Amino acid sequence: MRGNGWRLTATLIAVLVIIPLVIVLASLFNPEREIWQHLLEYVLPGLLGNTVKLVVGVAIGVTLLGVSLAWLTAVCEFPGRRFFSWALLLPLAVPAYVTAFVYVALLDFTGPVQTWLREFAGGPVVFPPIRSAGGVILVMVLALYPYVYLLARNAFLTQGRQALEVAQSLGYSRKSGFFKVALPLARPWIISGLMLALMETLADFGTVAVFNYDTFTTAIYKTWFGMFSLQGASQLASVLIVLVFALIVAEQMSRRGLRFTQAGRHTRMDRIVLRGYNAWLASGFAALILLVAFIIPVMQLLSWSAKVFVQDFDARYVEFLWHSLLLGGLSAVLVVVTALLLTYAQRQHNDSWTVAMVRIATLGYAVPGAVLAVGIVIPLAWLDQQLIGTAKSWFGIDTGLILQGTLLVMLPAYLTRFLAVGYNPMDSAMQRITRNLEEASRSLGFSGLAMLRRVHLPMLRGGLLSAAALVFVDVMKEMPITLMTRPFGWDTLAVRIFEMTSEGEWERAALPAVALVLAGLLPIALLVKHSEKSR
Amino acid sequence: MLKTLLVSTMLSLAATSVSAAEVVVYSARNEQLIKPLFDAYTKDTGVEVKFITDKEGALLQRLKAEGQNTPADMLITVDAGNLWEAAKEGLLKPVQSKTLNANVPAYLRDPGDQWFGLSVRARTIFYNNQKVKPGDLSTYEDLGNAKWKGRLCLRTSKKVYNQSLVAMMIAEHGAAKTEQIVKSWVANLATDPFPDDTKMLEAIAAGQCDVGIANTYYYGRLMEKKAGLPLSVFWPNQKAGGVHVNVSGAGIVKYAKHEKEAVALLEWLSSPKAQNLFADVNMEYPVNPAVKADPVVAAWGSFKQNPVNLAKAGELQAEAVKLMDRAGYR
């Protein structure tokens, strides 16, 4: 394929993905004056501060946790390292709103912890309120750090050690070697993970709703469901999209002129062996995070599940599980292939048009799910209408809906939402492949797809697997698009969670949530197995 | 096993076709509360009921996008505000039915016959019976009285149940006075508003506050799980407008392909036979006056309902939301 071919590919993918976004953005041309006036006066001032607090808190939290744990498991040696290196990914499988509910249930005034403390003290006790900015940030960080951890770990595995060696040969101490060399080299990966975490934070509704913490997203939902103005809600969502786009562009600009390349293929390296006190400190830290981010929530879910198991568990769970896995698996393949095409297009043809197309195509992840779902259903219904009209006029039959409520619709819808999740790890992986390598292989007569297969794919493996696992788990957790586009009587575990939580039966939602966590173990296990293989 | 799963998956790839003896329902009332009814109906009549569940806002947008091609015949949702919105958007059609008019009291259905309540939930006052005497309580409005300072708990204003409550108060008192009342509530809050009714009721029982407003079925569910909680029901405004009630209900979709079957199902849902099942499964009150509530629910006592037509809850909902924003009720 020539440059133009790649450009066309990128444009086509982008257009497909962008249609729902454009439908959301189109609302801007018809401002709801009255609603905006109200929002500006009474709602937005408080929200902006809240949203900024949340984003900054989550950014700092996931970076600190993700990077430190990635460094420990990728470059150091301490008791339990092998176990922790994969176990620390497990929180990915627990939806953030579930973790949120568990912690509010445990730590609020009425929860067991404070109740016990009151009994113990024989009176009122002072306890930091869990339903606060701090509480929301804490839960979000616990739920989202794996994005940074996974990508930063890839970076450190492929060159953390070499970076340290280089630094030491230049006379840096180990500590300054980490900060001066290894960390800057891992930057695109860390930022990619961070971007995913922040996009998810901005689009989140479920978690903040559990805390009744007002953000941009809660205002979007209030405008839509409370004031019956989808128009106003879409306008707010558009502002969010524009903000995220600005964030991405700023990040790209800051990377300009930097080139990240790989210092050769991955070699077996000697880990930094932590000794004595430091070794146990590392184990203790990893264990603590695993405990609060995964073990405690899952234990609580299990104890709730046990109570309702007899009443709620039936043969249909096999079907729910299968549907969840099927959707996750198929979407993972679709999203990864699409993301690969995009990264490659950008690599082959790095003009500003292609770059812009690629960037816009990944914005779906920052749009609150329910708003995006509407943006998806509108063009679909229109397409169906055309098809039905054609069938009527050509064959004289009334077909009813053709596309809607079929998997053919669900998968592209997930693509719109999760392309960023597939693209970010892949793009960071691509950054690692040197131009020299490409030129060398070109001189050997490889080009286009052959080069992709022989040169790029083997080197992109880590990014590819990460992307697939992330999309797999994310799709299984997704709710609004699944609800809106699923076929009749075709439920998934996420749909079960919705059925239980929509009227506040949280404890009964524990059963499908546990099943979802178990299902999420599968892609994580696959990821670990394959990424360990190449080590 | 895997083979059947694969086959069923392949089938789901093929679009659904229109067949005769079926009704297609879009429901915002969750599956476990409607499926038992549909199963019973199919057993009775042989008519298949296909349904999909989602949030009400999403279902309305979906109906709107699908237009004439929608497969849906009936919309079931909770809260009159949502039913009113569906009617206003032109998604439903009027139904002239003697049966429905007889089974559903006038104030619990649309004046334009586009939607009908099917079960009633009361949004009433609950109190900690170790700290509050029922004689201390009187009306919703009185919860703003200084004597409740630091003793009141509320659910978030983002939930439609509170939006409808405040909308009905606007209908009764006008916006200015209602805003005063809501402000006085906010001034009395013991803690930030709760994300759901159950958490709020638990807080009252645990002594974080003494009184609060919640839907009756949340109380029923909680007491079923933890029988010994010091929580009691109070029926406010008995000398004034009555207790604020709301419904879950249904309407026939404008472009229904099985209109006759859908109307028959709706009539059946309002009949004594189905009413108990519809209400009892969620500890709600039947909408049909000829049907008695579940004994557990009936034991909470009888009360005067606010007889203002629920369409007001929809008409004034957006205003209620803005009013609560102004009053600082989160």
Side-chain angles (χ1 to χ4, degrees):
Chain A
M1 273 204 267
R2 276 267 164 54
N4 274 343
W6 285 116
R7 199 170 158 168
L8 191 66
T9 310
T11 309
L12 280 178
I13 293 172
V15 165
L16 182 76
V17 175
I18 288 168
I19 291 171
L21 283 178
V22 169
I23 286 180
V24 176
L25 288 164
S27 63
L28 287 171
F29 294 110
N30 195 356
E32 290 258 19
R33 266 172 223 294
E34 201 193 326
I35 286 185
W36 272 96
Q37 224 164 358
H38 171 80
L39 290 172
L40 286 169
E41 192 168 346
Y42 296 103
V43 182
L44 290 176
L47 288 190
L48 288 175
N50 269 355
T51 309
V52 168
K53 234 190 290 183
L54 181 66
V55 166
V56 171
V58 170
I60 294 170
V62 296
T63 307
L64 287 179
L65 266 192
V67 172
S68 59
L69 290 168
W71 182 256
L72 285 175
T73 60
V75 179
C76 306
E77 188 58 79
F78 59 92
R81 179 197 60 83
R82 280 192 76 96
F83 163 76
F84 285 122
S85 64
W86 64 269
L88 285 166
L89 286 172
L90 292 175
L92 267 184
V94 192
Y97 54 87
V98 172
T99 311
F101 185 78
V102 168
Y103 273 109
V104 170
L106 286 173
L107 298 178
D108 212 357
F109 183 93
T110 50
V113 175
Q114 286 208 55
T115 306
W116 182 84
L117 283 173
R118 277 197 301 277
E119 280 169 14
F120 185 76
V125 286
V126 178
F127 194 86
I130 179 76
R131 286 185 297 125
S132 61
V136 185
I137 290 169
L138 179 78
V139 165
M140 288 273 202
V141 168
L142 291 178
L144 300 176
Y145 83 84
Y147 288 111
V148 177
Y149 168 76
L150 183 60
L151 295 183
R153 191 164 177 269
N154 277 345
F156 292 144
L157 276 175
T158 47
Q159 63 177 178
R161 187 77 196 113
Q162 286 122 322
L164 268 197
E165 276 161 15
V166 171
Q168 276 166 340
S169 70
L170 293 171
Y172 285 115
S173 71
R174 203 180 260 176
K175 190 168 139 194
S176 60
F178 170 75
F179 284 107
K180 292 238 161 67
V181 183
L183 203 56
L185 278 176
R187 187 177 133 179
W189 299 69
I190 294 168
I191 298 264
S192 275
L194 179 61
M195 275 308 206
L196 290 177
L198 292 186
M199 280 165 115
E200 186 146 344
T201 303
L202 282 171
D204 166 84
F205 177 72
T207 313
V208 291
V210 172
F211 286 90
N212 195 26
Y213 183 82
D214 296 0
T215 63
F216 226 98
T217 315
T218 53
I220 291 171
Y221 281 61
K222 181 192 275 194
T223 308
W224 179 5
F225 298 126
M227 303 189 206
F228 298 133
S229 170
L230 179 61
Q231 184 81 359
S234 302
Q235 282 157 16
L236 280 169
S238 305
V239 173
L240 195 62
I241 296 172
V242 171
L243 282 178
V244 173
F245 192 63
L247 201 66
I248 290 173
V249 170
E251 192 271 319
Q252 291 255 299
M253 301 286 269
S254 73
R255 248 200 265 172
R256 230 180 228 165
L258 297 176
R259 282 192 130 183
F260 297 89
T261 52
Q262 184 163 347
R265 277 298 303 268
H266 180 80
T267 46
R268 284 213 63 80
M269 60 178 188
D270 304 319
R271 294 175 172 276
I272 300 170
V273 182
L274 300 176
R275 304 205 184 278
Y277 176 75
N278 278 344
W280 291 110
L281 203 65
S283 301
F285 175 53
L288 176 75
I289 301 302
L290 185 65
L291 183 75
V292 289
F294 186 76
I295 296 171
I296 290 178
V298 171
M299 294 307 277
Q300 178 65 74
L301 289 178
L302 283 171
S303 91
W304 281 332
S305 303
K307 279 186 204 152
V308 298
F309 189 83
V310 176
Q311 160 199 358
D312 280 355
F313 187 81
D314 54 26
R316 290 195 309 162
Y317 266 82
V318 178
E319 208 176 288
F320 303 148
L321 186 68
W322 165 246
H323 290 161
S324 287
L325 289 171
L326 185 80
L327 288 177
L330 290 176
S331 311
V333 173
L334 178 71
V335 172
V336 166
V337 169
T338 311
L340 186 63
L341 284 173
L342 277 188
T343 15
Y344 207 65
Q346 209 181 336
R347 180 75 171 197
Q348 297 298 327
H349 201 82
N350 202 359
D351 66 334
S352 53
W353 169 263
T354 314
V355 174
M357 280 292 125
V358 168
R359 276 305 167 192
I360 292 172
T362 58
L363 282 174
Y365 199 49
V367 186
V371 178
L372 191 67
V374 173
I376 288 167
V377 158
I378 289 173
L380 272 178
W382 179 85
L383 198 62
D384 249 345
Q385 208 147 348
Q386 304 313 308
L387 288 173
I388 292 165
T390 312
K392 265 205 185 111
S393 61
W394 286 17
F395 310 109
I397 44 172
D398 189 0
T399 50
L401 291 183
I402 295 170
L403 292 173
Q404 267 201 273
T406 63
L407 288 186
L408 292 176
V409 161
M410 293 182 90
L411 297 176
Y414 288 134
L415 180 67
T416 303
R417 176 136 193 81
F418 295 117
L419 192 54
V421 180
Y423 172 84
N424 278 15
M426 213 88 86
D427 178 54
S428 330
M430 195 61 105
Q431 304 253 3
R432 276 290 160 81
I433 299 173
T434 59
R435 294 282 175 185
N436 305 351
L437 187 71
E438 283 176 1
E439 275 147 29
S441 41
R442 218 169 262 130
S443 68
L444 293 171
F446 291 124
S447 68
L449 289 177
M451 168 131 64
L452 177 67
R453 201 163 49 90
R454 302 287 296 272
V455 181
H456 290 114
L457 276 184
M459 301 192 72
L460 289 175
R461 190 190 173 120
L464 229 126
L465 285 167
S466 303
L470 289 176
V471 173
F472 200 124
V473 177
D474 258 343
V475 166
M476 286 201 298
K477 291 190 290 189
E478 202 282 338
M479 214 179 261
I481 294 174
T482 310
L483 286 168
M484 190 89 121
T485 57
R486 75 194 193 275
F488 281 97
W490 207 85
D491 290 352
T492 70
L493 292 169
V495 172
R496 293 309 296 167
I497 296 179
F498 161 79
E499 302 281 16
M500 297 304 172
T501 52
S502 66
E503 271 300 342
E505 300 220 54
W506 277 93
E507 284 84 0
R508 283 179 75 190
L511 188 60
V514 166
L516 194 64
V517 171
L518 290 176
L521 294 180
L522 186 75
I524 290 171
L526 287 175
L527 168 75
V528 172
K529 205 174 133 201
H530 284 285
S531 57
E532 291 294 316
K533 235 192 243 170
S534 56
R535 305 284 160 241
Chain B
M1 175 85 226
L2 199 65
K3 208 163 150 188
T4 33
L5 284 173
L6 275 171
V7 168
S8 71
T9 307
M10 296 308 277
L11 283 175
S12 68
L13 278 166
T16 49
S17 58
V18 182
S19 74
E22 68 170 22
V23 183
V24 181
V25 178
Y26 281 8
S27 171
R29 189 172 166 89
N30 38 13
E31 185 196 72
Q32 61 269 32
L33 301 181
I34 53 171
K35 195 168 183 300
L37 283 136
F38 295 159
D39 289 347
Y41 187 68
T42 304
K43 223 171 107 179
D44 256 21
T45 61
V47 176
E48 288 290 331
V49 182
K50 287 201 331 208
F51 64 92
I52 202 119
T53 53
D54 201 341
K55 291 192 166 130
E56 48 277 309
L59 287 176
L60 295 192
Q61 289 311 319
R62 189 169 169 172
L63 280 172
K64 219 192 277 190
E66 287 166 349
Q68 300 184 21
N69 297 314
T70 186
D73 304 309
M74 186 192 285
L75 173 73
I76 295 182
T77 170
V78 290
D79 203 279
N82 294 318
L83 290 161
W84 175 89
E85 171 69 5
K88 183 178 138 273
E89 294 284 346
L91 301 171
L92 305 176
K93 61 168 20 161
V95 177
Q96 313 302 342
S97 155
K98 285 199 178 73
T99 313
L100 285 169
N101 290 353
N103 288 346
V104 184
Y107 67 102
L108 301 175
R109 55 184 151 92
D110 177 33
D113 296 323
Q114 296 199 52
W115 51 262
F116 301 84
L118 291 171
S119 66
V120 175
R121 54 276 296 277
R123 194 156 186 78
T124 189
I125 295 179
F126 293 89
Y127 62 97
N128 184 318
N129 56 29
Q130 293 172 341
K131 295 159 93 183
V132 176
K133 291 191 208 54
D136 303 343
L137 290 155
S138 57
T139 61
Y140 297 106
E141 294 78 5
D142 181 64
L143 292 178
N145 185 318
K147 72 178 174 194
W148 299 113
K149 191 147 190 70
R151 299 171 69 193
L152 175 68
C153 272
L154 291 173
R155 182 186 187 153
T156 171
S157 67
K158 291 180 199 69
K159 185 64 192 183
V160 69
Y161 303 152
N162 282 334
Q163 295 168 358
S164 287
L165 171 68
V166 172
M168 295 305 268
M169 285 168 73
I170 296 173
E172 189 180 350
H173 301 298
K177 190 178 166 196
T178 305
E179 193 168 338
Q180 287 304 320
I181 295 165
V182 176
K183 272 189 179 141
S184 66
W185 284 353
V186 173
N188 282 348
L189 285 178
T191 177
D192 280 343
F194 286 83
D196 62 68
D197 282 16
T198 311
K199 280 257 166 290
M200 190 206 71
L201 289 168
E202 284 173 342
I204 297 172
Q208 192 172 11
C209 41
D210 300 341
V211 285
I213 300 171
N215 280 3
T216 38
Y217 57 88
Y218 288 110
Y219 170 74
R221 251 191 245 156
L222 184 63
M223 296 309 274
E224 207 175 30
K225 269 198 304 225
K226 304 177 183 163
L229 291 178
L231 280 175
S232 300
V233 190
F234 179 81
W235 304 115
N237 298 53
Q238 293 303 283
K239 295 191 182 72
V243 172
H244 169 71
V245 291
N246 210 316
V247 291
S248 72
I252 305 297
V253 173
K254 189 173 185 177
Y255 297 108
K257 309 280 181 289
H258 315 93
E259 193 187 335
K260 210 165 86 240
E261 292 87 346
V263 172
L265 173 60
L266 188 55
E267 288 176 340
W268 182 83
L269 287 172
S270 73
S271 72
K273 193 170 186 173
Q275 273 287 291
N276 263 108
L277 193 51
F278 197 99
D280 297 357
V281 70
N282 193 32
M283 295 188 157
E284 290 176 71
Y285 295 90
V287 74
N288 187 329
V291 179
K292 285 202 169 45
D294 180 86
V296 177
V297 176
W300 303 333
S302 57
F303 57 95
K304 180 179 134 194
Q305 298 184 13
N306 183 335
V308 176
N309 189 295
L310 277 179
K312 282 282 177 217
E315 278 167 47
L316 297 165
Q317 186 177 318
E319 195 174 336
V321 171
K322 289 183 198 165
L323 184 149
M324 292 191 280
D325 279 340
R326 287 196 302 268
Y329 176 16
R330 290 183 44 240

